mmCIF file of all heavy atoms in Angstrom:
data_model
loop_
_atom_site.group_PDB
_atom_site.id
_atom_site.type_symbol
_atom_site.label_atom_id
_atom_site.label_comp_id
_atom_site.label_asym_id
_atom_site.label_seq_id
_atom_site.Cartn_x
_atom_site.Cartn_y
_atom_site.Cartn_z
ATOM 1 N N SER M 1374 112.174 115.486 184.793
ATOM 2 C CA SER M 1374 111.010 114.871 185.418
ATOM 3 C C SER M 1374 110.830 115.451 186.805
ATOM 4 O O SER M 1374 111.710 116.137 187.305
ATOM 5 C CB SER M 1374 111.169 113.321 185.459
ATOM 6 O OG SER M 1374 112.282 112.955 186.252
ATOM 7 N N ARG M 1375 109.706 115.122 187.416
ATOM 8 C CA ARG M 1375 109.473 115.662 188.753
ATOM 9 C C ARG M 1375 108.618 114.672 189.539
ATOM 10 O O ARG M 1375 107.789 113.933 188.992
ATOM 11 C CB ARG M 1375 108.826 117.035 188.696
ATOM 12 C CG ARG M 1375 107.447 117.077 188.090
ATOM 13 C CD ARG M 1375 107.011 118.510 187.802
ATOM 14 N NE ARG M 1375 106.925 119.317 189.044
ATOM 15 C CZ ARG M 1375 106.944 120.635 189.078
ATOM 16 N NH1 ARG M 1375 107.065 121.320 187.935
ATOM 17 N NH2 ARG M 1375 106.874 121.273 190.226
ATOM 18 N N ASP M 1376 108.765 114.733 190.837
ATOM 19 C CA ASP M 1376 107.967 113.962 191.761
ATOM 20 C C ASP M 1376 107.522 114.968 192.839
ATOM 21 O O ASP M 1376 108.238 115.239 193.793
ATOM 22 C CB ASP M 1376 108.766 112.808 192.412
ATOM 23 C CG ASP M 1376 107.916 111.929 193.262
ATOM 24 O OD1 ASP M 1376 106.829 112.340 193.709
ATOM 25 O OD2 ASP M 1376 108.325 110.750 193.494
ATOM 26 N N ASN M 1377 106.315 115.475 192.663
ATOM 27 C CA ASN M 1377 105.822 116.494 193.543
ATOM 28 C C ASN M 1377 105.632 115.984 194.966
ATOM 29 O O ASN M 1377 105.762 116.752 195.939
ATOM 30 C CB ASN M 1377 104.520 117.082 193.027
ATOM 31 C CG ASN M 1377 104.735 117.938 191.796
ATOM 32 O OD1 ASN M 1377 105.859 118.309 191.450
ATOM 33 N ND2 ASN M 1377 103.637 118.268 191.113
ATOM 34 N N ASN M 1378 105.338 114.701 195.118
ATOM 35 C CA ASN M 1378 105.154 114.140 196.446
ATOM 36 C C ASN M 1378 106.467 114.121 197.236
ATOM 37 O O ASN M 1378 106.446 114.143 198.470
ATOM 38 C CB ASN M 1378 104.589 112.735 196.378
ATOM 39 C CG ASN M 1378 103.145 112.731 195.902
ATOM 40 O OD1 ASN M 1378 102.389 113.663 196.156
ATOM 41 N ND2 ASN M 1378 102.746 111.675 195.231
ATOM 42 N N LYS M 1379 107.592 114.064 196.521
ATOM 43 C CA LYS M 1379 108.900 114.093 197.172
ATOM 44 C C LYS M 1379 109.551 115.469 197.097
ATOM 45 O O LYS M 1379 110.694 115.621 197.523
ATOM 46 C CB LYS M 1379 109.818 113.075 196.529
ATOM 47 C CG LYS M 1379 109.346 111.639 196.706
ATOM 48 C CD LYS M 1379 110.317 110.643 196.086
ATOM 49 C CE LYS M 1379 109.888 109.208 196.295
ATOM 50 N NZ LYS M 1379 110.810 108.237 195.666
ATOM 51 N N ASN M 1380 108.845 116.428 196.547
ATOM 52 C CA ASN M 1380 109.372 117.796 196.387
ATOM 53 C C ASN M 1380 110.712 117.806 195.649
ATOM 54 O O ASN M 1380 111.611 118.540 195.977
ATOM 55 C CB ASN M 1380 109.525 118.461 197.751
ATOM 56 C CG ASN M 1380 108.205 118.973 198.290
ATOM 57 O OD1 ASN M 1380 107.160 118.963 197.620
ATOM 58 N ND2 ASN M 1380 108.231 119.438 199.551
ATOM 59 N N THR M 1381 110.803 116.964 194.625
ATOM 60 C CA THR M 1381 112.064 116.796 193.933
ATOM 61 C C THR M 1381 111.863 116.842 192.421
ATOM 62 O O THR M 1381 110.916 116.272 191.877
ATOM 63 C CB THR M 1381 112.715 115.451 194.319
ATOM 64 O OG1 THR M 1381 112.886 115.405 195.742
ATOM 65 C CG2 THR M 1381 114.062 115.301 193.643
ATOM 66 N N VAL M 1382 112.786 117.533 191.774
ATOM 67 C CA VAL M 1382 112.862 117.598 190.322
ATOM 68 C C VAL M 1382 114.163 116.948 189.893
ATOM 69 O O VAL M 1382 115.187 117.084 190.575
ATOM 70 C CB VAL M 1382 112.774 119.064 189.829
ATOM 71 C CG1 VAL M 1382 112.818 119.125 188.323
ATOM 72 C CG2 VAL M 1382 111.499 119.716 190.340
ATOM 73 N N TYR M 1383 114.143 116.306 188.758
ATOM 74 C CA TYR M 1383 115.338 115.567 188.273
ATOM 75 C C TYR M 1383 115.678 116.018 186.871
ATOM 76 O O TYR M 1383 114.841 116.448 186.081
ATOM 77 C CB TYR M 1383 115.051 114.072 188.234
ATOM 78 C CG TYR M 1383 114.576 113.486 189.534
ATOM 79 C CD1 TYR M 1383 113.215 113.330 189.803
ATOM 80 C CD2 TYR M 1383 115.500 113.104 190.504
ATOM 81 C CE1 TYR M 1383 112.790 112.808 191.019
ATOM 82 C CE2 TYR M 1383 115.069 112.578 191.729
ATOM 83 C CZ TYR M 1383 113.715 112.431 191.948
ATOM 84 O OH TYR M 1383 113.299 111.903 193.165
ATOM 85 N N LEU M 1384 116.963 115.897 186.577
ATOM 86 C CA LEU M 1384 117.453 116.067 185.214
ATOM 87 C C LEU M 1384 118.352 114.891 184.899
ATOM 88 O O LEU M 1384 119.474 114.791 185.402
ATOM 89 C CB LEU M 1384 118.215 117.386 185.043
ATOM 90 C CG LEU M 1384 118.690 117.669 183.634
ATOM 91 C CD1 LEU M 1384 117.514 117.896 182.686
ATOM 92 C CD2 LEU M 1384 119.613 118.872 183.599
ATOM 93 N N GLN M 1385 117.863 113.998 184.069
ATOM 94 C CA GLN M 1385 118.650 112.863 183.598
ATOM 95 C C GLN M 1385 119.457 113.303 182.400
ATOM 96 O O GLN M 1385 118.902 113.769 181.407
ATOM 97 C CB GLN M 1385 117.750 111.689 183.229
ATOM 98 C CG GLN M 1385 118.518 110.461 182.742
ATOM 99 C CD GLN M 1385 119.358 109.817 183.797
ATOM 100 O OE1 GLN M 1385 118.900 109.625 184.932
ATOM 101 N NE2 GLN M 1385 120.601 109.468 183.472
ATOM 102 N N MET M 1386 120.748 113.153 182.481
ATOM 103 C CA MET M 1386 121.675 113.616 181.422
ATOM 104 C C MET M 1386 122.396 112.392 180.888
ATOM 105 O O MET M 1386 123.181 111.776 181.592
ATOM 106 C CB MET M 1386 122.625 114.661 181.935
ATOM 107 C CG MET M 1386 121.941 115.868 182.587
ATOM 108 S SD MET M 1386 123.083 117.167 183.052
ATOM 109 C CE MET M 1386 124.065 116.317 184.282
ATOM 110 N N ASN M 1387 122.180 112.082 179.638
ATOM 111 C CA ASN M 1387 122.795 110.929 178.961
ATOM 112 C C ASN M 1387 123.702 111.422 177.847
ATOM 113 O O ASN M 1387 123.534 112.507 177.316
ATOM 114 C CB ASN M 1387 121.738 109.984 178.419
ATOM 115 C CG ASN M 1387 120.850 109.391 179.491
ATOM 116 O OD1 ASN M 1387 121.298 109.089 180.611
ATOM 117 N ND2 ASN M 1387 119.556 109.208 179.150
ATOM 118 N N ASN M 1388 124.624 110.561 177.473
ATOM 119 C CA ASN M 1388 125.537 110.840 176.369
ATOM 120 C C ASN M 1388 126.169 112.225 176.569
ATOM 121 O O ASN M 1388 126.190 113.054 175.657
ATOM 122 C CB ASN M 1388 124.830 110.749 175.037
ATOM 123 C CG ASN M 1388 125.774 110.771 173.852
ATOM 124 O OD1 ASN M 1388 126.937 110.409 173.981
ATOM 125 N ND2 ASN M 1388 125.268 111.191 172.715
ATOM 126 N N LEU M 1389 126.705 112.460 177.717
ATOM 127 C CA LEU M 1389 127.276 113.744 178.051
ATOM 128 C C LEU M 1389 128.476 114.070 177.168
ATOM 129 O O LEU M 1389 129.273 113.174 176.797
ATOM 130 C CB LEU M 1389 127.673 113.775 179.532
ATOM 131 C CG LEU M 1389 126.506 113.967 180.467
ATOM 132 C CD1 LEU M 1389 126.877 113.522 181.873
ATOM 133 C CD2 LEU M 1389 126.014 115.399 180.470
ATOM 134 N N LYS M 1390 128.608 115.346 176.881
ATOM 135 C CA LYS M 1390 129.677 115.866 176.037
ATOM 136 C C LYS M 1390 130.469 116.895 176.834
ATOM 137 O O LYS M 1390 129.956 117.513 177.752
ATOM 138 C CB LYS M 1390 129.101 116.515 174.777
ATOM 139 C CG LYS M 1390 128.264 115.569 173.943
ATOM 140 C CD LYS M 1390 127.643 116.312 172.762
ATOM 141 C CE LYS M 1390 126.795 115.386 171.915
ATOM 142 N NZ LYS M 1390 126.189 116.085 170.744
ATOM 143 N N PRO M 1391 131.731 117.100 176.458
ATOM 144 C CA PRO M 1391 132.532 118.125 177.169
ATOM 145 C C PRO M 1391 131.859 119.479 177.185
ATOM 146 O O PRO M 1391 132.017 120.237 178.206
ATOM 147 C CB PRO M 1391 133.850 118.136 176.388
ATOM 148 C CG PRO M 1391 133.964 116.759 175.836
ATOM 149 C CD PRO M 1391 132.552 116.382 175.500
ATOM 150 N N GLU M 1392 131.144 119.834 176.168
ATOM 151 C CA GLU M 1392 130.473 121.141 176.152
ATOM 152 C C GLU M 1392 129.327 121.227 177.142
ATOM 153 O O GLU M 1392 128.757 122.324 177.311
ATOM 154 C CB GLU M 1392 130.020 121.498 174.728
ATOM 155 C CG GLU M 1392 129.170 120.414 174.097
ATOM 156 C CD GLU M 1392 129.997 119.544 173.149
ATOM 157 O OE1 GLU M 1392 131.141 119.167 173.527
ATOM 158 O OE2 GLU M 1392 129.503 119.223 172.043
ATOM 159 N N ASP M 1393 128.943 120.126 177.769
ATOM 160 C CA ASP M 1393 127.922 120.140 178.799
ATOM 161 C C ASP M 1393 128.503 120.598 180.145
ATOM 162 O O ASP M 1393 127.746 120.785 181.126
ATOM 163 C CB ASP M 1393 127.298 118.784 178.949
ATOM 164 C CG ASP M 1393 126.497 118.355 177.754
ATOM 165 O OD1 ASP M 1393 125.801 119.224 177.148
ATOM 166 O OD2 ASP M 1393 126.563 117.155 177.389
ATOM 167 N N THR M 1394 129.807 120.752 180.216
ATOM 168 C CA THR M 1394 130.452 121.112 181.467
ATOM 169 C C THR M 1394 129.976 122.479 181.943
ATOM 170 O O THR M 1394 129.836 123.430 181.172
ATOM 171 C CB THR M 1394 131.968 121.158 181.294
ATOM 172 O OG1 THR M 1394 132.441 119.826 181.049
ATOM 173 C CG2 THR M 1394 132.681 121.708 182.509
ATOM 174 N N GLY M 1395 129.693 122.569 183.236
ATOM 175 C CA GLY M 1395 129.262 123.825 183.819
ATOM 176 C C GLY M 1395 128.611 123.611 185.135
ATOM 177 O O GLY M 1395 128.459 122.487 185.623
ATOM 178 N N VAL M 1396 128.178 124.680 185.754
ATOM 179 C CA VAL M 1396 127.401 124.605 186.977
ATOM 180 C C VAL M 1396 125.940 124.602 186.615
ATOM 181 O O VAL M 1396 125.461 125.482 185.884
ATOM 182 C CB VAL M 1396 127.697 125.783 187.923
ATOM 183 C CG1 VAL M 1396 126.848 125.741 189.161
ATOM 184 C CG2 VAL M 1396 129.188 125.785 188.306
ATOM 185 N N TYR M 1397 125.228 123.607 187.119
ATOM 186 C CA TYR M 1397 123.804 123.453 186.796
ATOM 187 C C TYR M 1397 122.951 123.933 187.957
ATOM 188 O O TYR M 1397 123.191 123.598 189.123
ATOM 189 C CB TYR M 1397 123.511 121.983 186.493
ATOM 190 C CG TYR M 1397 123.935 121.575 185.121
ATOM 191 C CD1 TYR M 1397 125.304 121.448 184.813
ATOM 192 C CD2 TYR M 1397 123.017 121.315 184.119
ATOM 193 C CE1 TYR M 1397 125.724 121.092 183.551
ATOM 194 C CE2 TYR M 1397 123.408 120.932 182.844
ATOM 195 C CZ TYR M 1397 124.760 120.839 182.556
ATOM 196 O OH TYR M 1397 125.200 120.465 181.315
ATOM 197 N N TYR M 1398 121.957 124.749 187.647
ATOM 198 C CA TYR M 1398 121.078 125.321 188.618
ATOM 199 C C TYR M 1398 119.636 124.884 188.357
ATOM 200 O O TYR M 1398 119.221 124.808 187.190
ATOM 201 C CB TYR M 1398 121.120 126.846 188.569
ATOM 202 C CG TYR M 1398 122.478 127.458 188.783
ATOM 203 C CD1 TYR M 1398 123.356 127.629 187.737
ATOM 204 C CD2 TYR M 1398 122.862 127.884 190.046
ATOM 205 C CE1 TYR M 1398 124.617 128.199 187.942
ATOM 206 C CE2 TYR M 1398 124.087 128.450 190.260
ATOM 207 C CZ TYR M 1398 124.961 128.610 189.193
ATOM 208 O OH TYR M 1398 126.188 129.199 189.395
ATOM 209 N N CYS M 1399 118.891 124.634 189.417
ATOM 210 C CA CYS M 1399 117.467 124.509 189.252
ATOM 211 C C CYS M 1399 116.810 125.774 189.718
ATOM 212 O O CYS M 1399 117.342 126.524 190.545
ATOM 213 C CB CYS M 1399 116.904 123.306 189.990
ATOM 214 S SG CYS M 1399 117.024 123.338 191.793
ATOM 215 N N ALA M 1400 115.626 126.030 189.191
ATOM 216 C CA ALA M 1400 114.910 127.272 189.491
ATOM 217 C C ALA M 1400 113.429 127.002 189.484
ATOM 218 O O ALA M 1400 112.938 126.104 188.770
ATOM 219 C CB ALA M 1400 115.275 128.343 188.473
ATOM 220 N N ALA M 1401 112.680 127.812 190.239
ATOM 221 C CA ALA M 1401 111.243 127.666 190.349
ATOM 222 C C ALA M 1401 110.559 128.944 189.905
ATOM 223 O O ALA M 1401 111.022 130.051 190.249
ATOM 224 C CB ALA M 1401 110.853 127.344 191.805
ATOM 225 N N GLU M 1402 109.480 128.788 189.180
ATOM 226 C CA GLU M 1402 108.700 129.904 188.658
ATOM 227 C C GLU M 1402 107.246 129.696 188.985
ATOM 228 O O GLU M 1402 106.700 128.606 188.732
ATOM 229 C CB GLU M 1402 108.931 130.016 187.152
ATOM 230 C CG GLU M 1402 108.664 131.365 186.555
ATOM 231 C CD GLU M 1402 107.202 131.602 186.258
ATOM 232 O OE1 GLU M 1402 106.559 130.644 185.776
ATOM 233 O OE2 GLU M 1402 106.725 132.700 186.503
ATOM 234 N N ALA M 1403 106.607 130.702 189.499
ATOM 235 C CA ALA M 1403 105.274 130.546 190.118
ATOM 236 C C ALA M 1403 104.125 130.684 189.131
ATOM 237 O O ALA M 1403 102.983 130.452 189.529
ATOM 238 C CB ALA M 1403 105.104 131.556 191.260
ATOM 239 N N ILE M 1404 104.369 131.063 187.908
ATOM 240 C CA ILE M 1404 103.275 131.350 186.983
ATOM 241 C C ILE M 1404 103.157 130.258 185.910
ATOM 242 O O ILE M 1404 102.135 129.618 185.781
ATOM 243 C CB ILE M 1404 103.407 132.721 186.339
ATOM 244 C CG1 ILE M 1404 103.377 133.824 187.401
ATOM 245 C CG2 ILE M 1404 102.311 132.934 185.286
ATOM 246 C CD1 ILE M 1404 103.612 135.224 186.847
ATOM 247 N N ALA M 1405 104.229 130.071 185.133
ATOM 248 C CA ALA M 1405 104.183 129.132 184.047
ATOM 249 C C ALA M 1405 105.581 128.784 183.603
ATOM 250 O O ALA M 1405 106.541 129.510 183.868
ATOM 251 C CB ALA M 1405 103.370 129.696 182.877
ATOM 252 N N LEU M 1406 105.696 127.693 182.888
ATOM 253 C CA LEU M 1406 106.985 127.251 182.367
ATOM 254 C C LEU M 1406 107.539 128.309 181.385
ATOM 255 O O LEU M 1406 106.853 128.720 180.471
ATOM 256 C CB LEU M 1406 106.843 125.921 181.676
ATOM 257 C CG LEU M 1406 108.068 125.317 180.991
ATOM 258 C CD1 LEU M 1406 109.183 125.131 182.027
ATOM 259 C CD2 LEU M 1406 107.729 124.015 180.302
ATOM 260 N N THR M 1407 108.790 128.676 181.609
ATOM 261 C CA THR M 1407 109.430 129.663 180.742
ATOM 262 C C THR M 1407 110.909 129.267 180.598
ATOM 263 O O THR M 1407 111.485 128.563 181.434
ATOM 264 C CB THR M 1407 109.338 131.041 181.352
ATOM 265 O OG1 THR M 1407 110.015 131.995 180.562
ATOM 266 C CG2 THR M 1407 109.901 131.107 182.780
ATOM 267 N N THR M 1408 111.479 129.741 179.505
ATOM 268 C CA THR M 1408 112.921 129.532 179.267
ATOM 269 C C THR M 1408 113.763 130.707 179.689
ATOM 270 O O THR M 1408 114.979 130.670 179.594
ATOM 271 C CB THR M 1408 113.157 129.244 177.774
ATOM 272 O OG1 THR M 1408 112.781 130.386 176.986
ATOM 273 C CG2 THR M 1408 112.351 128.046 177.300
ATOM 274 N N ARG M 1409 113.137 131.766 180.181
ATOM 275 C CA ARG M 1409 113.864 132.978 180.515
ATOM 276 C C ARG M 1409 114.277 132.932 181.997
ATOM 277 O O ARG M 1409 113.439 132.910 182.871
ATOM 278 C CB ARG M 1409 112.994 134.189 180.254
ATOM 279 C CG ARG M 1409 112.618 134.377 178.774
ATOM 280 C CD ARG M 1409 111.780 135.601 178.567
ATOM 281 N NE ARG M 1409 111.435 135.815 177.190
ATOM 282 C CZ ARG M 1409 110.718 136.827 176.725
ATOM 283 N NH1 ARG M 1409 110.210 137.718 177.585
ATOM 284 N NH2 ARG M 1409 110.461 136.923 175.442
ATOM 285 N N ALA M 1410 115.580 133.026 182.221
ATOM 286 C CA ALA M 1410 116.086 132.988 183.587
ATOM 287 C C ALA M 1410 115.555 134.144 184.423
ATOM 288 O O ALA M 1410 115.291 133.954 185.605
ATOM 289 C CB ALA M 1410 117.607 133.016 183.554
#
C-alpha cells in the first residue's frame, strides 16, 4: 500500500515463513509498475 501524502510505501507481511528471510528493499520507478529490478 502507499500513502503519497506521507511519502511512504508499506509492505504488510502476514503468516511469515522461514523462506521469507532476507533483506528487503524498496525501489522507485519513474515510468510504470514493473517486476524487473
Side-chain angles (χ1 to χ4, degrees):
S1374 62
R1375 65 192 298 160
D1376 186 339
N1377 289 347
N1378 291 329
K1379 296 181 178 179
N1380 282 352
T1381 303
V1382 181
Y1383 305 95
L1384 183 66
Q1385 179 67 45
M1386 305 186 295
N1387 298 322
N1388 191 24
L1389 284 161
K1390 302 176 180 180
E1392 52 263 43
D1393 295 319
T1394 293
V1396 178
Y1397 283 70
Y1398 302 87
C1399 66
E1402 203 276 320
I1404 299 176
L1406 177 60
T1407 178
T1408 63
R1409 297 180 178 180

